[in-house]
Amino acid sequence: MMWLTSLIFIVLTGLFMRWHVRRRSADTPTTKCPRCSSAVPAGAARCPRCQIPMQLYEVVKAKTVVEDAASAGSSERPHAVVRADLCVGCGACVPACPEPGAIKMAGKLATVEKSLCKGHGKCVEACPVGGIVLATGASVHRVEVPLVDTDFESNVGGVYVVGELGGRGLIKNAINEAKVAVEHIAGELGGRTKSTEVAGGAGRGGNDVYDVIVVGSGPAGISAGLEALRHHLRYLVLEQGTLADTIRKYPRAKFLLAEPVAVPLYGDLWVSDATKEQLLQVWESIIERSGLEVRTGHRVTHVSRADGVLRVETSEAVFRARRVVLAMGRRGNPRRLGVPGEELGKVIYDVADMDSFAGQRMMVVGGGDSAAESAVGLSRQPGTTVVLSYRGETFARVKERNRAKLDDAVKRGTLRIVLNSEVREIREGEVTLDVMGRREVVPNDVVVVRIGGEPPYTFLEKIGVHIVKKDIPLQEEAHAGA
């Protein structure tokens, strides 16, 4: 009899626990996973079914800004808003703010404590890259990004935007975004081509039509290419420079903070505390093992639709594809110096995070606002000395506030300006300048070339992709609401 009582007790306990779990699940707010449509508990880091990180959709699902609340007549006191896509982590805004603690550095990004900010605007004036604005409303980071859906397809049908170009520069996000985009493409195109066909060849819809063309060979581009290879799609990966050129142009010994992430046809990738040289070795190993085909030296100049497919024009040829994945980073198509040594890894065309250059001997080349802003921001880094080389006699194209900042840096002794000068040769440890016919050798660790070019967003707008502003809630607020 005792055993029967025990059995009834166990059954009733099990039923009660099941009812309790179901009730708690029903009471827990959930969202729908954009990838697999499963229910995801609010605040969960990953989808419990497909394991995709929810952070991947932070920008995609963020509120689009129609206009600043301040300009809409709001009576709320304005406060500083950091443009996370522009902030380079120089820290110039922190000492400029008269309110202690109102703006501070969280890693390599400036953050604003809304309750302490009085809206003085001193941080706006101090920012060398225009990365801070005054607005009212929720405490947010403001970013300017291409308009894409949860499959990372833009408003231009068949054109996808992933990785750094889409507003999220983290390697893990770039890899995952590309994977999601190509998964969607494979599903739309029927999954895969015949297994007997060679994946790198011409695609369906004509002898010269690819299933997908991937533009860029950084983390997002390589991931997209590998996913296309995994699905047996007819693909092509195009790179304007050398293989993984985006990574090659990172600062020397730049640490790439990441976590394990699944790379198609490779498995888990772990690059925490890895330098760019180590990461390049990983990419090259992945490409060699998978047989991924990358065509270098192809700078994509335009994408348009013709005869029912996408026409991809490059500096070397014209290709046709049913889908295009843009994974080309934020450098766009920079103008180059065309001098010996420009292919060295010490030459970069943009500055992602200025504190990586602390203690370095820098040279910035250019005479516009971007060159001035880079020179000023770099000059503020501990132990960093900067030479600004410009071929003109004066900085006629530089805004007055940037000229004042240049003068201040010169007075501090952290910046030297060399006008009427042109770079003749770049070598490890030095740069040769021609200064009005006189040869000058300048000790140097890194060269930053800022002489213009076509920004990536200009390219996107030219092909019809909409660029929008979005407000991303600060991390602590997002967690508080979870």
Side-chain angles (χ1 to χ4, degrees), residues 255-422:
F255 281 94
L256 303 159
L257 302 180
E259 63 185 40
V261 60
V263 176
L265 297 181
Y266 177 79
D268 286 344
L269 173 66
W270 174 263
V271 290
S272 180
D273 293 339
T275 64
K276 72 165 188 178
E277 289 80 9
Q278 291 170 323
L279 183 59
L280 274 172
Q281 289 179 358
V282 172
W283 288 143
E284 288 166 353
S285 172
I286 291 172
I287 291 169
E288 182 179 356
R289 284 171 52 179
S290 66
L292 183 71
E293 180 183 346
V294 180
R295 293 195 193 181
T296 60
H298 281 268
R299 179 172 62 88
V300 174
T301 57
H302 194 56
V303 177
S304 58
R305 186 167 291 280
D307 301 324
V309 295
L310 293 165
R311 188 173 187 268
V312 181
E313 301 175 34
T314 80
S315 54
E316 302 296 324
V318 176
F319 302 98
R320 298 200 303 156
R322 303 176 73 186
R323 301 291 187 273
V324 171
V325 176
L326 299 177
M328 45 204 255
R330 295 175 66 88
R331 283 195 303 111
N333 297 319
R335 189 174 296 124
R336 298 176 183 258
L337 295 172
V339 300
E342 191 171 8
E343 73 283 354
L344 294 175
K346 66 183 279 187
V347 181
I348 60 177
Y349 299 86
D350 201 354
V351 183
D353 51 352
M354 294 191 180
D355 63 349
S356 294
F357 301 97
Q360 303 273 342
R361 300 171 298 178
M362 307 293 298
M363 176 176 287
V364 179
V365 182
D369 280 309
S370 61
E373 291 162 356
S374 296
V376 170
L378 289 167
S379 72
R380 294 178 180 273
Q381 305 312 306
T384 301
T385 57
V386 184
V387 174
L388 176 56
S389 169
Y390 179 46
R391 63 183 180 180
E393 295 182 3
T394 61
F395 293 109
R397 298 182 290 115
V398 173
K399 294 185 181 72
E400 187 58 41
R401 76 170 191 171
N402 282 335
R403 285 192 222 176
K405 291 175 183 176
L406 287 173
D407 292 340
D408 181 61
V410 171
K411 290 177 184 176
R412 293 198 314 267
T414 55
L415 174 65
R416 176 187 169 215
I417 297 174
V418 186
L419 298 173
N420 298 301
S421 65
E422 293 189 53

Side-chain angles (χ1 to χ4, degrees), residues 65-209:
V65 179
V66 178
E67 62 176 352
D68 288 335
S71 65
S74 171
S75 60
E76 186 179 346
R77 184 182 67 203
H79 62 89
V81 174
V82 176
R83 284 278 306 272
D85 55 332
L86 295 180
C87 178
V88 292
C90 68
C93 53
V94 177
C97 178
E99 304 296 331
I103 189 165
K104 56 188 177 182
M105 299 304 297
K108 297 178 181 180
L109 182 67
T111 61
V112 177
E113 179 56 57
K114 183 184 172 186
S115 63
L116 298 176
C117 180
K118 305 299 183 185
H120 298 300
K122 296 297 183 182
C123 56
V124 177
E125 297 175 8
C127 181
V129 295
I132 306 177
V133 297
L134 288 180
T136 58
S139 184
V140 296
H141 289 313
R142 181 155 296 171
V143 295
E144 197 169 63
V145 294
L147 181 62
V148 298
D149 62 19
T150 52
D151 296 312
F152 300 98
E153 185 174 11
S154 73
N155 59 284
V156 178
V159 176
Y160 296 70
V161 182
V162 298
E164 189 184 27
L165 186 59
R168 300 291 297 184
L170 294 177
I171 289 176
K172 62 179 181 180
N173 285 335
I175 292 172
N176 283 324
E177 287 177 11
K179 180 179 179 180
V180 168
V182 178
E183 275 183 350
H184 183 254
I185 291 170
E188 283 200 326
L189 299 186
R192 64 190 185 95
T193 59
K194 295 178 181 178
S195 59
T196 55
E197 295 175 336
V198 180
R204 294 168 289 178
N207 291 333
D208 63 341
V209 179

